[in-house]
Amino acid sequence: MPPESRLRAILGPVLGLLLSCSGEDNTAASSPPGAQLADRQSPQVVEIFEVGASVYVRSLAIEAERNRLWVGTSLGVNEIDLSDNRLVNTFTRQHGLANEYVFAIGIDADGYKWFGTNAGGMARYRDGDWKVYFPLHGLADYWVYAFANALDGGLWIGTWAGANYLDRASGRFDTYVG
């Protein structure tokens, strides 16, 4: 199967599921978890877009407040406006990423986008401002694969060499290994 066909086969249904699950028609807050999806029709592909031949999508994140889809690829990050499925921005090393191969995307409560890369540490972005983090800053490793927001406002970071907890208020990293 050609790469672009494989991408359509994989990304199309994922994007369709994300779009069909983020619609305006929400069930009352008192509904049990999962009821919103159970009450709807089967997910359907709403739209697909191309990222290019031999370009691999490794991560997706929805920024609901701004109606944006963030797509981490092997050539950088794409920002998509979900109201019209228009490509808004593409970010590469020229913009602030230390490595274009983006494995993970996280969005925190303050609207910062966090990009975990393959051998390039992680980058933080918001409103044109970039900051890059490497092991010399306290990151456990250069390979970053996952992000999760902590209830206390901190950020959990999954790396090849272990997990980090970043206290965003102080900028302090704690590392946890097995």
Side-chain angles (χ1 to χ4, degrees):
M1 178 181 281
E4 58 272 359
S5 297
R6 187 171 61 234
L7 180 62
R8 279 191 191 117
I10 294 169
L11 185 57
V14 170
L15 182 56
L17 176 62
L18 291 171
L19 293 174
S20 68
C21 293
S22 65
E24 308 259 338
D25 181 27
N26 292 322
T27 309
S30 61
S31 298
Q36 293 175 358
L37 290 177
D39 294 342
R40 293 191 176 175
Q41 314 173 16
S42 297
Q44 297 178 15
V45 174
V46 175
E47 187 67 48
I48 60 173
F49 61 92
E50 296 289 335
V51 292
S54 301
V55 178
Y56 301 98
V57 173
R58 296 295 187 206
S59 55
L60 299 168
I62 290 182
E63 184 182 10
E65 296 77 26
R66 294 183 56 229
N67 202 30
R68 297 287 202 251
L69 174 66
W70 293 86
V71 182
T73 76
S74 55
L75 290 180
V77 176
N78 294 320
E79 178 185 5
I80 309 295
D81 184 333
L82 291 175
S83 63
D84 58 10
N85 296 332
R86 177 180 49 88
L87 177 65
V88 176
N89 284 307
T90 298
F91 299 108
T92 64
R93 288 178 198 213
Q94 293 175 332
H95 303 97
L97 289 170
N99 186 324
E100 277 113 357
Y101 210 118
V102 176
F103 274 134
I105 300 174
I107 302 172
D108 68 27
D110 294 325
Y112 284 100
K113 273 57 82 180
W114 296 85
F115 304 111
T117 71
N118 178 28
M122 71 179 182
R124 183 188 75 185
Y125 169 79
R126 186 178 75 178
D127 301 329
D129 293 324
W130 289 87
K131 181 167 181 160
V132 177
Y133 297 86
F134 300 118
L136 67 99
H137 300 107
L139 192 60
D141 199 51
Y142 286 100
W143 286 263
V144 177
Y145 297 110
F147 295 103
N149 290 310
L151 294 176
D152 64 3
L155 185 69
W156 285 100
I157 306 154
T159 78
W160 181 260
N164 278 114
Y165 173 81
L166 172 61
D167 180 325
R168 292 190 317 114
S170 70
R172 179 179 169 203
F173 286 86
D174 291 317
T175 301
Y176 301 88
V177 295

